[in-house]
Amino acid sequence: MRVLIVEDETVAYENLVDIIAEINPSIEIVGNTESISQTINWLQNNSAPDIILMDIHLSDGSAFTIFKDITVEIPIIFTTAYDEYAIEAFKVNSIDYLLKPIKIEELKKAFVKFSKLTHAEVIQYLTQMSRLNMPNRYKDKMLVPYRDKLLPVNMKDISCFYTTNKNTCIYLKNGENYTYSKTLEQIITTLDPSDFIRANKQFIIARNSVTNITIWFDNRLLVTLDTEVPERIYISKNKAAEFKAWIINDVR
């Protein structure tokens, strides 16, 4: 069995690798992608694996966007830390849907389920999956609670979302900032991936707010925005190429 792992968290990826090795050392992991754009590129330029283990929330948005952009004719086992995505996973008739942290017995059962599928069942599964059509419903405004008010904020006026100590703040181009109740994981799924990217664990940044990019040591990138933020924004070496493609709107 050849497996592609779509997972942007190193610890979660390594956990899957260890579990797969324990289930069956002969299972071949043919690749690991961390984002929508990387996954699309990999699938378009490599021979198809037998199955995909796919995290639903990726660094540049919801994995369901992949099915809107390309036809995926490969069975999928979805993984996520949030059960709120289950309904969308079932829309693509996934082989299984596993909540993190992944347990060895659950993944073993999912592999067994996959191995027992008849050819006709696989064809039916792929037919249903190909029907997925998720329209773009990205927000152009959001309501931000402030004291006893709800402030309408245009998405184009946002420079970044920042989180620390489980608190999230929205930073605007005019220098204002507001606390916000949702996590970056929840926020990124509502944003247009061509306009916003998860830069790292602390930041989601807006493409039109980037004013400067400095090549840092270890080939990291230091990003400067059009507003002051509480700490420096670094893009890791692994995400640098993806980030540069996103900046020039060349992610397909």
Side-chain angles (χ1 to χ4, degrees):
M1 186 189 300
R2 301 172 69 253
V3 179
L4 170 66
I5 298 178
V6 181
E7 173 59 66
D8 65 344
E9 296 180 3
T10 302
V11 173
Y13 168 73
E14 292 174 347
N15 181 54
L16 280 173
V17 171
D18 291 341
I19 289 176
I20 291 171
E22 189 170 345
I23 292 173
N24 186 346
S26 68
I27 295 175
E28 180 186 1
I29 298 173
V30 296
N32 171 220
T33 59
E34 300 182 349
S35 66
I36 294 166
S37 56
Q38 283 182 10
T39 304
I40 291 173
N41 182 67
W42 195 98
L43 291 171
Q44 289 177 330
N45 292 283
N46 293 274
S47 58
D50 297 309
I51 195 167
I52 301 174
L53 285 173
M54 181 178 288
D55 186 13
I56 292 176
H57 172 71
L58 301 174
S59 60
D60 54 351
S62 169
F64 296 120
T65 305
I66 294 168
F67 307 102
K68 182 187 64 180
D69 290 348
I70 62 171
T71 300
V72 180
E73 297 182 339
I74 305 159
I76 295 169
I77 297 172
F78 285 107
T79 67
T80 183
Y82 307 96
D83 59 6
E84 65 194 77
Y85 296 106
I87 230 173
E88 294 297 345
F90 294 139
K91 280 184 181 178
V92 295
N93 197 31
S94 61
I95 297 299
D96 214 331
Y97 176 89
L98 306 179
L99 286 176
K100 295 179 181 179
I102 306 301
K103 298 178 178 62
I104 184 170
E105 287 304 318
E106 292 177 348
L107 184 56
K108 185 185 294 186
K109 287 179 182 178
F111 281 154
V112 170
K113 180 179 177 181
F114 168 65
S115 67
K116 289 182 177 179
L117 287 177
T118 65
H119 178 70
E121 287 171 332
V122 171
I123 295 299
Q124 181 184 24
Y125 159 81
L126 294 174
T127 300
Q128 290 177 345
M129 192 169 71
S130 68
R131 291 174 185 161
L132 179 69
N133 183 19
M134 295 184 62
N136 287 331
R137 292 181 180 175
Y138 302 119
K139 298 179 179 179
D140 57 7
K141 281 190 178 183
M142 62 191 306
L143 293 176
V144 179
Y146 179 66
R147 296 178 181 172
D148 60 345
K149 300 178 181 179
L150 289 173
L151 302 178
V153 174
N154 288 321
M155 303 307 292
K156 64 182 180 180
D157 295 329
I158 296 174
S159 285
C160 69
F161 300 86
Y162 170 73
T163 188
T164 182
N165 297 325
K166 297 184 178 180
N167 295 316
T168 303
C169 284
I170 301 172
Y171 284 79
L172 304 184
K173 296 177 181 295
N174 63 9
E176 296 176 352
N177 65 84
Y178 300 95
T179 58
Y180 196 57
S181 61
K182 294 187 177 181
T183 65
L184 296 192
E185 286 75 17
Q186 293 169 322
I187 293 169
I188 191 69
T189 61
T190 68
L191 304 176
D192 187 339
S194 66
D195 294 331
F196 291 89
I197 194 171
R198 181 74 179 265
N200 52 42
K201 291 182 179 179
Q202 285 73 45
F203 285 94
I204 295 172
I205 62 177
R207 188 160 63 94
N208 65 5
S209 291
V210 176
T211 59
N212 191 43
I213 304 170
T214 303
I215 300 176
W216 212 243
F217 64 91
D218 292 337
N219 290 320
R220 291 184 299 163
L221 302 177
L222 173 63
V223 177
T224 304
L225 302 183
D226 55 6
T227 191
E228 187 175 347
V229 292
E231 60 180 284
R232 289 182 168 184
I233 303 174
Y234 291 105
I235 308 295
S236 70
K237 175 183 176 180
N238 292 338
K239 291 186 177 180
E242 175 194 342
F243 179 80
K244 287 185 283 187
W246 172 76
I247 279 290
I248 61 174
N249 201 20
D250 185 27
V251 295
R252 293 289 179 261

